[in-house]
Amino acid sequence: MKWLGRRQSDNMEDRRGVSGGKIAAGGGIIGLVILLINLFGGQNGQQLSPMLEQLQQGQQSQQTTRELTAEEKKTGAFIATILADTEDVWKEIFVQNGLTYENPKMVLFTENVETGCGSATAASGPFYCPADHKVYMDLAFFEELKSRFGAEGGDFAVAYVIAHEVGHHVQNLLGTSDKVRKLQEGASEIEANKLSVALELQADFFAGLWTHFNQNKNQILEPGDIEEALSAAKAVGDDAIQSKMQGHVVPDSFTHGTSQQRMFWFNKGFKSGDIKQGDTFAELH
């Protein structure tokens, strides 16, 4: 992916050199469960709060800091550039629709983090917290994505994940997230899961839409980039994860969509460049 020489966002909090602080007791086990259920945590990040906050009460350790390596600094610059790209693209899309875009913040962390939605560990995967309008990401997730779930990896896979989580921020600004949560309150578990799937697939569509506009604006794509994004989307499909981790799939328990659905909606956003084609909820009716 071509990224050097463009603007970098100031809306970054790089906490990778900081360790310690509050963590959830037994967080490793809890985090693994969360990883299997909520990869690309999205709005589900908010649901971590009650359980984890109860468990982490009184769990305090001393914070330590270290200097980031040259490679870590380069990665931080890359992510700051991608975040700036999302800011520029979504600002234009919102203006075109008579709206005002509010930039989210990105927090890079290692092992554990305190958020507006409660405590979280690296095993929760990248997620967006609507309470503080921040995207949280431990970059160790991408090694897990490759080694455990067979994704190809690469810089554009990281860009896709960032764009997906920023897509949840867009949903939050548009009021879509609140509408879904209210509908879920009065729905059965199966219907609530379907609503969650639609929300996640729309975030995938928004990631594809961002790719479309960013390519037109900055000519970012190199050979293999779209394949990297599709490989990541395929790896985190509910059916792929359940099949790998438990040997069978339970469609009614899906919360993020199948591999095929995730790839389809990313591609639809990328190829269409039309935000009006992102109604993933229409299929629920």
Side-chain angles (χ1 to χ4, degrees):
M1 176 184 179
K2 299 174 184 177
W3 65 276
L4 292 172
R6 293 203 301 282
R7 181 180 75 86
Q8 295 180 18
S9 175
D10 294 326
N11 295 305
M12 288 272 296
E13 296 179 28
D14 198 335
R15 305 181 192 174
R16 290 176 295 167
V18 180
S19 62
K22 287 185 178 181
I23 61 173
I29 298 174
I30 295 169
L32 179 59
V33 173
I34 295 168
L35 171 66
L36 303 184
I37 299 174
N38 290 330
L39 276 168
F40 285 26
Q43 296 300 310
N44 291 325
Q46 191 177 38
Q47 299 172 11
L48 306 182
S49 178
M51 176 177 70
L52 293 181
E53 283 189 345
Q54 288 178 11
L55 290 172
Q56 62 87 35
Q57 291 297 323
Q59 299 300 311
Q60 186 80 32
S61 61
Q62 187 175 359
Q63 286 192 343
T64 60
T65 60
R66 65 170 177 82
E67 179 72 16
L68 295 178
T69 67
E71 187 63 28
E72 286 173 327
K73 290 178 181 178
K74 181 180 179 181
T75 301
F78 167 72
I79 291 175
T81 302
I82 300 306
L83 185 60
D85 287 350
T86 67
E87 293 168 353
D88 294 342
V89 167
W90 281 109
K91 179 180 179 180
E92 289 183 10
I93 293 175
F94 270 51
V95 167
Q96 290 169 5
N97 289 275
L99 302 171
T100 301
Y101 184 66
E102 174 190 334
N103 294 331
K105 289 187 180 295
M106 166 75 73
V107 179
L108 300 181
F109 71 96
T110 303
E111 296 182 357
N112 60 81
V113 68
E114 289 290 318
T115 83
C117 298
S119 301
T121 69
S124 63
F127 64 94
Y128 170 72
C129 173
D132 57 20
H133 289 200
K134 294 180 180 180
V135 174
Y136 293 87
M137 184 180 299
D138 185 322
L139 297 179
F141 165 79
F142 294 98
E143 289 302 317
E144 188 82 2
L145 203 61
K146 288 190 290 184
S147 62
R148 178 173 291 191
F149 297 101
E152 293 179 7
D155 54 7
F156 198 74
V158 179
Y160 156 65
V161 174
I162 294 172
H164 173 96
E165 298 305 336
V166 170
H168 285 304
H169 177 65
V170 171
Q171 291 171 324
N172 196 31
L173 295 180
L174 294 177
T176 307
S177 305
D178 283 339
K179 291 178 181 178
V180 168
R181 279 193 290 270
K182 289 177 182 177
L183 288 172
Q184 286 176 320
E185 289 175 1
S188 66
E189 182 177 353
I190 292 176
E191 290 303 314
N193 286 343
K194 289 181 179 179
L195 287 164
S196 177
V197 167
L199 199 68
E200 294 296 331
L201 294 180
Q202 188 179 69
D204 282 328
F205 173 85
F206 285 160
L209 189 73
W210 167 79
T211 304
H212 173 95
F213 283 103
N214 205 20
Q215 172 65 5
N216 289 347
K217 185 181 182 67
N218 294 309
Q219 297 298 304
I220 62 169
L221 295 175
E222 295 179 313
D225 280 347
I226 295 300
E227 288 75 14
E228 288 178 10
L230 293 175
S231 177
K234 180 179 180 180
V236 294
D238 284 322
D239 53 341
I241 294 174
Q242 289 188 1
S243 179
K244 187 172 186 64
M245 302 309 298
Q246 62 190 33
H248 64 279
V249 300
V250 184
D252 285 343
S253 70
F254 290 172
T255 57
H256 286 63
T258 66
S259 296
Q260 189 63 36
Q261 286 175 317
R262 302 198 71 164
M263 291 188 292
F264 171 83
W265 282 102
F266 173 86
N267 253 331
K268 187 171 184 178
F270 173 59
K271 293 179 178 179
S272 72
D274 181 4
I275 194 171
K276 296 178 181 179
Q277 294 192 34
D279 185 4
T280 55
F281 298 90
E283 298 181 5
L284 297 178
H285 305 297

